């Protein structure tokens, strides 16, 4: 049995970002840029007005009257020449006329027909956005590793980048195992139960950016397990639930070994979730996770290891317990034994503090408790009970 931090260290060398794929900009939201991008135009494209007002040239003292000889709208081409001693009506974003060096906001003039009287003398450069002051063509725009937020996508659109190289969604193949497991739409017979893993993994993995393919439900039969697992070998990550403990009908590890996979670990010092398996084979083969069959164990293992693994494949800087926050317990937190304990919790921000309400589970079979929380709260190994008001470490989900 190894510490969770050690388990993550062993996984890390097998979690390089997937090779770049070019996607249309509209489909790239939330992805990570795989290749740097450069600006294609100057921003602004010319010296432009920052206000609706009047473009003038040279010193213009308060009380000066000037004739208005032209109007420059946004979208007009640059090049209008402003005669000395005159003004041009100008709109926000319109190019500054040749001969003008400042803009007087419309509220700082008195307009009388085609004549204005300046009320407040503007300094040189007032209310002018200079060409290229934001970006110059050829300058870095986005770097490899940057996240394509809505704002970043707007930046790409402004520079005409219709496609972008990103780390693509990882392909995840899911196999649920167990003689006792039936599909959710079936009525369980004696000794059977409906599959809850499929619903959880599809939703959680999709939210983490993956594309999920179900391999169905396989009974505890080595031949059938091998057949189904072989169908998932083209994926980037292969996820199996159940069959990873030390019982007489737990065949996942031996079948993986027969397929040429080496085990990175098969026991992690966490509660719930100790019998977690990770295995790798040669190049071109997926990383394999074998999650415990109990629903709470499977959920905790997914949040702690599978989700950050999926995000690493997409170029995100993620890892075990990365993103955890300091919170304040709203209710008491129980102790932990020899393993780090992870309990479901509800997190709520109030008055500038993160209030954490743990849900006490009856065990690794208590799906109801783990379904209620929106976070995991960590109780490190050997910790005594903590009262309400104490600090805690919590991972929002």
């Amino acid at each position: 049995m190894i510490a969770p931090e050690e388990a993550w260290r062993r996984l890390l060398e097998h979690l390089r970002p997937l090779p770049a794929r070019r996607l249309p900009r509209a489909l790239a939201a939330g992805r990570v840029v795989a290749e740097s991008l450069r600006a294609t135009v100057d921003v602004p494209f010319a010296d432009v007005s920052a206000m609706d007002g009047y473009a003038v040239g040279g010193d213009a003292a308060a009380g000066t009257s000037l004739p208005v000889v032209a109007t420059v709208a946004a979208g007009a081409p640059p090049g209008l020449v402003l005669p000395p001693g005159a003004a041009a009506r100008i709109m926000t974003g319109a190019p500054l006329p040749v001969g003008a060096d400042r803009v007087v906001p419309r509220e700082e003039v008195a307009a009388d027909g085609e004549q204005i009287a300046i009320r407040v003398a503007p300094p040189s450069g007032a209310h002018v956005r200079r060409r290229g002051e934001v970006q110059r063509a050829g300058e870095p725009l986005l770097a490899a590793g940057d996240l394509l937020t809505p704002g970043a996508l707007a930046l790409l659109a402004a520079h005409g980048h219709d496609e972008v190289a990103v780390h693509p969604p990882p392909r995840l193949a899911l196999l649920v195992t167990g003689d006792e497991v039936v599909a959710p739409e079936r009525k369980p017979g004696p000794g059977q139960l409906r599959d809850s893993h499929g619903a959880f993994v599809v939703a959680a993995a999709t939210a983490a950016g993956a594309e999920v393919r179900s391999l169905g439900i396989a009974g505890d039969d080595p031949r059938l397990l091998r057949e189904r697992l072989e169908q998932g070998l083209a994926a980037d990550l292969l996820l199996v639930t159940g069959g990873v403990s030390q019982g007489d009908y737990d065949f996942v590890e031996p079948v993986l070994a027969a397929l040429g996979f080496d085990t990175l670990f098969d026991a992690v010092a966490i509660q719930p979730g100790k019998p977690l398996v990770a295995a790798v084979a040669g190049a071109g083969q997926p990383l394999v996770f074998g999650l415990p069959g109990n629903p709470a164990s499977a959920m905790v293992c997914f949040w702690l290891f599978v989700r950050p693994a999926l995000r690493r494949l997409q170029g995100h800087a993620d890892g075990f317990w990365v993103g955890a926050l300091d919170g304040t317990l709203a209710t008491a937190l129980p102790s932990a034994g020899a393993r780090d304990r992870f309990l479901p919790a509800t997190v709520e921000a109030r008055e500038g503090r993160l209030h954490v309400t743990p849900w006490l589970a009856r065990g690794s079979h208590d799906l109801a408790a783990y379904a209620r929380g929106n976070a995991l709260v960590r109780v490190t190994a050997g910790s005594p009970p903590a009262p309400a008001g104490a600090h805690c470490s919590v991972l929002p989900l």
Side-chain angles (χ1 to χ4, degrees):
M1 185 168 63
I2 61 174
E5 290 83 1
E6 171 61 18
W8 181 256
R9 188 193 66 78
R10 295 185 188 185
L11 287 168
L12 199 52
E13 61 182 285
H14 304 284
L15 293 173
R16 295 178 181 86
L18 297 174
R21 184 193 304 170
R22 297 193 69 80
L23 291 181
R25 184 182 61 248
L27 300 180
R31 300 291 166 197
V32 173
V33 177
E35 299 172 2
S36 61
L37 296 159
R38 292 189 174 273
T40 61
V41 294
D42 292 343
V43 181
F45 64 93
D47 290 353
V48 299
S49 177
M51 301 285 288
D52 290 340
Y54 296 86
V56 298
D59 293 335
T64 301
S65 294
L66 299 172
V68 179
V69 298
T71 296
V72 190
L80 174 73
V81 177
L82 182 68
R89 184 181 293 108
I90 194 166
M91 310 305 165
T92 303
L96 204 67
V98 177
D101 68 346
R102 66 200 74 191
V103 172
V104 188
R106 59 187 302 173
E107 57 268 26
E108 294 180 4
V109 304
D112 182 12
E114 294 302 312
Q115 192 86 7
I116 61 168
I118 295 175
R119 292 173 176 166
V120 180
S124 177
H127 308 298
V128 175
R129 298 169 180 163
R130 296 300 180 187
R131 176 174 182 167
E133 70 178 24
V134 175
Q135 285 161 326
R136 287 282 185 181
E139 289 182 346
L141 191 66
L142 292 175
D146 285 349
L147 180 65
L148 286 171
T149 63
L153 293 174
L155 187 62
L156 294 184
H159 288 268
H161 290 288
D162 297 326
E163 289 187 337
V164 57
V166 299
H167 298 294
R171 299 162 299 164
L172 183 148
L174 168 65
L175 177 63
V176 176
T177 75
D179 287 337
E180 75 281 15
V181 182
V182 299
E185 60 271 17
R186 285 183 54 188
K187 182 178 180 180
Q192 294 182 324
L193 51 85
R194 291 186 176 95
D195 168 38
S196 63
H197 295 311
F200 168 75
V201 171
V202 169
T206 301
E211 296 175 348
V212 183
R213 175 194 173 200
S214 174
L215 303 177
I217 301 171
D220 297 317
D221 178 306
R223 180 194 59 80
L224 181 58
L225 285 174
R226 177 169 182 146
E227 178 184 299
R228 293 290 183 87
L229 289 173
E230 285 177 334
Q231 295 175 16
L233 295 182
D236 300 306
L237 192 150
L238 177 55
L239 187 61
V240 189
T241 66
V244 294
S245 295
Q246 301 300 314
D248 292 340
Y249 293 92
D250 291 321
F251 298 121
V252 169
E253 278 195 87
V255 171
L256 287 173
L259 289 171
F261 283 82
D262 296 320
T263 299
L264 294 177
F265 53 80
D266 60 9
V268 182
I270 58 175
Q271 180 189 4
K274 174 187 171 184
L276 170 65
V277 170
V280 293
Q285 298 291 338
L287 171 65
V288 179
F289 281 104
L291 305 189
N294 278 314
S297 298
M299 293 171 77
V300 167
C301 290
F302 183 94
W303 294 126
L304 296 183
F305 296 101
V306 181
R307 181 175 71 168
L310 288 171
R311 286 175 52 77
R312 294 287 298 198
L313 292 175
Q314 296 169 82
H316 297 281
D318 209 337
F320 171 76
W321 211 240
V322 169
L325 303 172
D326 291 331
T328 302
L329 290 172
T331 58
L333 191 65
S335 62
R339 292 177 278 159
D340 282 7
R341 189 175 183 183
F342 296 89
L343 290 172
T346 299
V347 172
E348 182 183 7
R350 297 197 309 269
E351 299 175 346
R353 300 173 69 184
L354 208 59
H355 294 262
V356 180
T357 304
W359 294 100
L360 301 183
R362 291 176 172 84
S364 58
H365 62 294
D366 192 349
L367 173 59
Y370 282 84
R372 297 178 75 175
N374 60 9
L376 289 178
V377 61
R378 185 179 188 179
V379 191
T380 55
S383 295
H391 292 289
C392 63
S393 181
V394 63
L395 181 68
L397 305 179

